[in-house]
Amino acid sequence: MSEQTIILSKSEIRKKYESYSEYFNEIMGNIIQILHDKVKLMSQPTYKCRVKSFNSYYKKLLRLKQKEIAQSKSLVYLTDMMGIRMICAFLEDINLGLEQIKQIFEIKEVEVKGAEKKFSEFGYESIHVLIKIPESCIPKLEGKYKDLLPITDEIVCEIQIRTILQDAWAEVEHELIYKTEFNPFDIPLRRKLASLNASLTLADITFQEIRDYQNKLQREIEDRRNSFYSMADDLLNDKEIKKSEEINRVTPFVKGTIDDMLLKAIEAHNQGNLETAVKIYSMILDAVKESDKNVIAVIRKHRGMAYFSMNNFTEALADFMVSIENDPKAYRTYYYAGIVYSIKKDYELAIQNFTKSLEINGFQAHTHLRRAMAYFEIKDYEKSMSDLDSAINLGMDEAEYKPLQEKLVKKFGLNM
């Protein structure tokens, strides 16, 4: 460094750096708004932002860029002056979020922090993404910003992607270790920190496993429900029942638990192994206490649907009724019972159950349509037309409501 170079004082550097604080916060607010609008995850992330404190900035400046700390009109640039944290609920959201960020912004660099550490160390992983700041996010240099100089393309924004637990550890680690430059030599203390890190890592993994299980179970239940609806349509319209296709299914979550048994039963049900499904449902019912009303309601409903698929409508109806006794607010179970009564041509009881279902949740297009069909069978055409209109207004597909609509048009002598 030449003798003529004038080194800026710390106070001058502080004044220059802090003059950009509000400007940087507005830039980050604009970036966060884009993230809110465009990043779509099953559990939406939360966001934090911060302008790097001057003391942290100055320490890093002295360590990394001594040659640049000279009299200059421009701000000395560091990559982490602007930092946004994208805090996700589950581990899977980190990579999903990263891929979406790559689609939204121009990426300068992606780094996995902490990946190089040994398991016995207490650093925690997070993904750091450096993005180019979009022109649309940069405020105009007018008004309160009129004395600032334009930022260069070198200045980036750092987005840190973490889980909730990773973020919690990062906050504590910053206070205990990084902020105080503390690196414990005491072996028991290092072990305690490593143990905490391992516990949080295990908790993240466990939460993800539970989420994976929920997603798998939900897919199985949705497939089974769709199969039930399809079979009900075929039975009510006197069509030939199609054999269930065998599908490769997910593996159980925790062996031996009620959740595991339920998933196995639904898998068997979806694959058409109905006797096996009924057997497993029955084993679960034998294992639960009479006081576990919610469990009984759920399992009885599932077993009832399996009996329904076996054309054993008497046992199906019995299970649905017990399910309703244990969960009187289960609108879908009332609907299933109504379907069975319709097949048995007991339309009055079918209407009663469809009505119960709609009293709990009136926004069911299929239930309105089924009740409309039942009303038609007992020659109450006005109520049938009213329910049909409700089903159409709720988005029922034309192919599903058209046959009944044509029958009603003939009864009323209307032109379509």
Side-chain angles (χ1 to χ4, degrees):
M1 187 175 294
S2 68
E3 293 181 1
Q4 288 76 26
T5 301
I6 300 173
I7 304 299
L8 290 177
S9 68
K10 182 177 180 180
S11 61
E12 289 173 317
I13 296 173
R14 179 193 292 273
K15 183 177 179 181
K16 182 178 291 185
Y17 181 71
E18 292 184 347
S19 69
Y20 282 85
S21 179
E22 188 175 352
Y23 186 69
F24 287 162
N25 273 311
E26 187 168 340
I27 289 173
M28 288 188 292
N30 293 334
I31 293 172
I32 287 174
Q33 187 59 56
I34 292 174
L35 291 168
H36 269 300
D37 293 342
K38 295 190 176 182
V39 173
K40 302 299 179 185
L41 303 175
M42 187 175 295
S43 298
Q44 280 300 94
T46 57
Y47 299 94
K48 298 179 184 178
C49 68
R50 63 99 184 98
V51 175
K52 193 176 187 69
S53 72
F54 174 74
N55 286 336
S56 296
Y57 168 79
Y58 190 67
K59 284 181 183 178
K60 195 167 184 179
L61 207 61
L62 292 176
R63 189 172 76 250
L64 299 178
K65 300 203 173 187
Q66 292 183 27
K67 292 182 179 180
E68 295 181 32
I69 307 175
Q71 191 170 21
S72 172
K73 291 183 179 181
S74 62
L75 183 71
V76 181
Y77 147 81
L78 293 176
T79 59
D80 60 348
M81 293 187 302
M82 286 180 279
I84 294 172
R85 288 186 187 176
M86 176 177 163
I87 304 168
C88 305
F90 300 98
L91 287 170
E92 68 175 349
D93 295 332
I94 292 177
N95 286 328
L96 292 173
L98 174 60
E99 290 307 309
Q100 292 185 42
I101 287 172
K102 287 179 178 179
Q103 298 298 316
I104 298 167
F105 300 105
E106 181 180 329
I107 306 299
K108 295 289 189 179
E109 182 182 320
V110 177
E111 182 182 4
V112 179
K113 297 281 189 179
E116 75 286 351
K117 292 184 181 290
K118 297 177 182 178
F119 185 74
S120 59
E121 295 179 308
F122 41 84
Y124 210 84
E125 288 188 14
S126 69
I127 293 179
H128 291 205
V129 187
L130 300 183
I131 67 164
K132 179 181 178 181
I133 299 170
E135 287 291 332
S136 62
C137 294
I138 301 174
K140 294 181 179 178
L141 295 178
E142 56 188 33
K144 58 186 175 181
Y145 302 135
K146 62 183 176 61
D147 295 328
L148 302 181
L149 294 171
I151 61 174
T152 67
D153 284 343
E154 284 187 296
I155 296 181
V156 296
C157 181
E158 181 182 73
I159 302 176
Q160 301 172 359
I161 313 174
R162 298 170 173 166
T163 66
I164 294 168
L165 294 182
Q166 287 173 344
D167 187 59
W169 173 260
E171 294 282 5
V172 175
E173 182 186 42
H174 184 76
E175 293 294 325
L176 287 181
I177 300 166
Y178 178 77
K179 197 172 179 180
T180 59
E181 298 180 357
F182 169 66
N183 190 9
F185 294 101
D186 184 67
I187 296 300
L189 184 55
R190 291 181 66 86
R191 285 174 178 166
K192 286 180 181 179
L193 289 168
S195 176
L196 282 171
N197 178 31
S199 295
L200 288 171
T201 302
L202 179 60
D204 256 340
I205 292 169
T206 303
F207 286 147
Q208 184 60 56
E209 287 178 344
I210 293 170
R211 166 50 66 91
D212 290 342
Y213 165 74
Q214 288 176 328
N215 290 339
K216 291 171 183 177
L217 182 59
Q218 190 58 43
R219 286 195 296 270
E220 294 291 342
I221 290 174
E222 189 64 29
D223 285 346
R224 189 227 51 229
R225 185 180 295 136
N226 290 336
S227 175
F228 178 93
Y229 292 159
S230 178
M231 183 176 176
D233 287 338
D234 290 343
L235 286 168
L236 290 170
N237 294 306
D238 296 323
K239 293 181 181 178
E240 183 181 349
I241 305 300
K242 297 178 182 178
K243 185 179 179 182
S244 299
E245 294 182 6
E246 186 161 333
I247 306 170
N248 290 326
R249 296 292 169 187
V250 297
T251 55
F253 176 52
V254 180
K255 291 184 178 180
T257 64
I258 288 178
D259 290 319
D260 166 61
M261 294 172 70
L262 175 59
L263 187 53
K264 283 183 177 179
I266 296 174
E267 285 177 329
H269 190 156
N270 287 340
Q271 291 171 359
N273 301 324
L274 300 172
E275 291 183 0
T276 299
V278 167
K279 182 178 179 180
I280 298 173
Y281 290 135
S282 300
M283 289 170 63
I284 297 173
L285 289 169
D286 289 340
V288 300
K289 299 177 182 178
E290 290 184 9
S291 58
D292 293 335
K293 291 184 177 294
N294 185 57
V295 177
I296 292 171
V298 170
I299 304 304
R300 285 279 195 165
K301 177 180 69 176
H302 289 314
R303 193 175 71 174
M305 294 173 81
Y307 278 132
F308 181 92
S309 297
M310 297 168 71
N311 292 330
N312 189 340
F313 303 125
T314 300
E315 293 293 342
L317 190 57
D319 269 342
F320 291 149
M321 291 297 101
V322 173
S323 179
I324 289 168
E325 287 174 13
N326 285 273
D327 184 7
K329 296 295 183 182
Y331 62 91
R332 282 199 178 98
T333 315
Y334 281 111
Y335 172 74
Y336 299 151
I339 291 291
V340 176
Y341 281 122
S342 293
I343 291 169
K344 294 166 74 72
K345 301 189 184 302
D346 193 336
Y347 298 112
E348 294 287 353
L349 284 176
I351 289 167
Q352 287 181 27
N353 280 273
F354 291 141
T355 301
K356 280 283 189 182
S357 181
L358 289 168
E359 286 172 355
I360 299 166
N361 179 1
F363 298 94
Q364 301 178 77
H366 277 92
T367 309
H368 278 289
L369 179 63
R370 296 302 175 202
R371 192 170 66 173
M373 293 168 68
Y375 276 131
F376 184 89
E377 295 296 336
I378 63 172
K379 298 180 171 43
D380 194 334
Y381 303 125
E382 288 188 5
K383 288 183 179 178
S384 180
M385 181 64 83
S386 176
D387 260 333
L388 179 61
D389 288 341
S390 296
I392 294 171
N393 289 335
L394 288 168
M396 176 65 67
D397 290 339
E398 183 178 5
E400 296 185 70
Y401 69 73
K402 195 72 173 177
L404 177 61
Q405 187 182 56
E406 290 174 349
K407 291 178 183 178
L408 285 167
V409 166
K410 289 180 181 179
K411 290 294 180 184
F412 284 104
L414 301 173
N415 292 319
M416 294 185 65

